[in-house]
Amino acid sequence: MSAKGLHVMMIGPGCGGKAEGSKYVYLKQKGFDCEVLNLPEATAGDLESKEKGMEMLKGRLAAAEGKILPDVIIGCSRGGKYVGELVNRNMWKGPMLLISAMGTRHCCESNTENIPLLLCHGTQDGTNPIHRVRMDVQQCQTAKLVEFDDDHSLRSLVHQDLLAGLVQQCYDMQFQAPSKPNVPKKPAR
């Protein structure tokens, strides 16, 4: 399927937050059918906001009349926490692209269903250090990490015209066999 046929759902907070964000605008210009689902900011210990956000996600992913299910879900930065919950709760089994995402350990450790996960992360990320993401990816046979010489914003994905190809690559991962053997879970850090 080409970009023009892919429906992408971006989960906020993160990803520039709104339809005016550079990643959203870029994907629309490249022919993707995009939507942004802005969820409440769920800080540590704020279970009420997290559960409200998960209910919003559940409602959106339900086969509601007139709604198109996404082909790829994108979680950027803090939106990665919600992607981790989707995986953990078995609410979504389609491809997911994580961009400078928080919660990568939760995504990778909880992925018992071989959900395709493509993680894009900057080696200069001061918010979520790359070494943690590298360790997390080792725990999941269907997770792939692509590193960029960039910071947490990963502006290079848009400025170097890379994001469209990464979304397509993420989508295509669901049709490929896992490239890594099952690895034993490591103890929590």
Side-chain angles (χ1 to χ4, degrees):
M1 184 178 288
S2 70
K4 292 197 187 296
L6 290 182
H7 182 80
V8 176
M9 183 172 73
M10 302 174 90
I11 297 176
C15 290
K18 298 181 174 81
E20 298 85 35
S22 63
K23 291 174 180 72
Y24 175 88
V25 170
Y26 167 88
L27 289 174
K28 289 291 278 188
Q29 289 172 344
K30 292 294 182 179
F32 289 88
D33 179 26
C34 298
E35 69 175 291
V36 176
L37 184 62
N38 284 308
L39 303 176
E41 182 77 48
T43 57
D46 183 4
L47 295 177
E48 185 178 331
S49 291
K50 181 175 83 172
E51 289 307 315
K52 180 180 177 187
M54 291 308 295
E55 282 301 312
M56 292 169 67
L57 257 173
K58 182 179 178 182
R60 170 54 191 94
L61 294 175
E65 187 176 317
K67 292 280 187 179
I68 299 171
L69 289 177
D71 294 301
V72 175
I73 291 179
I74 299 176
C76 302
S77 189
R78 298 170 319 278
K81 294 177 183 180
Y82 281 111
V83 171
E85 285 298 318
L86 281 175
V87 173
N88 186 50
R89 298 179 190 198
N90 291 312
M91 292 174 61
W92 182 254
K93 299 191 189 311
M96 293 188 246
L97 175 60
L98 294 114
I99 300 173
S100 297
M102 310 300 271
T104 54
R105 183 176 78 181
H106 197 48
C107 288
C108 293
E109 285 181 350
S110 301
N111 190 2
T112 59
E113 300 291 322
N114 292 326
I115 298 165
L117 300 173
L118 182 60
L119 294 86
C120 299
H121 214 85
T123 57
Q124 308 304 314
D125 191 329
T127 304
N128 187 19
I130 186 71
H131 73 275
R132 289 196 290 198
V133 180
R134 289 175 181 148
M135 290 188 322
D136 297 340
V137 167
Q138 293 301 314
Q139 298 186 44
C140 180
Q141 68 177 349
T142 56
K144 179 181 178 187
L145 174 62
V146 182
E147 297 182 21
F148 299 89
D149 184 23
D150 204 345
D151 62 16
H152 187 70
S153 68
L154 277 181
R155 287 182 182 92
S156 61
L157 298 184
V158 171
H159 295 156
Q160 296 177 19
D161 196 19
L162 302 170
L163 184 55
L166 290 164
V167 173
Q168 185 68 52
Q169 179 182 350
C170 182
Y171 175 77
D172 292 343
M173 285 173 68
Q174 67 187 311
F175 306 112
Q176 302 163 0
S179 59
K180 298 184 273 188
N182 280 327
V183 290
K185 301 288 184 214
K186 296 179 183 174
R189 293 178 249 175

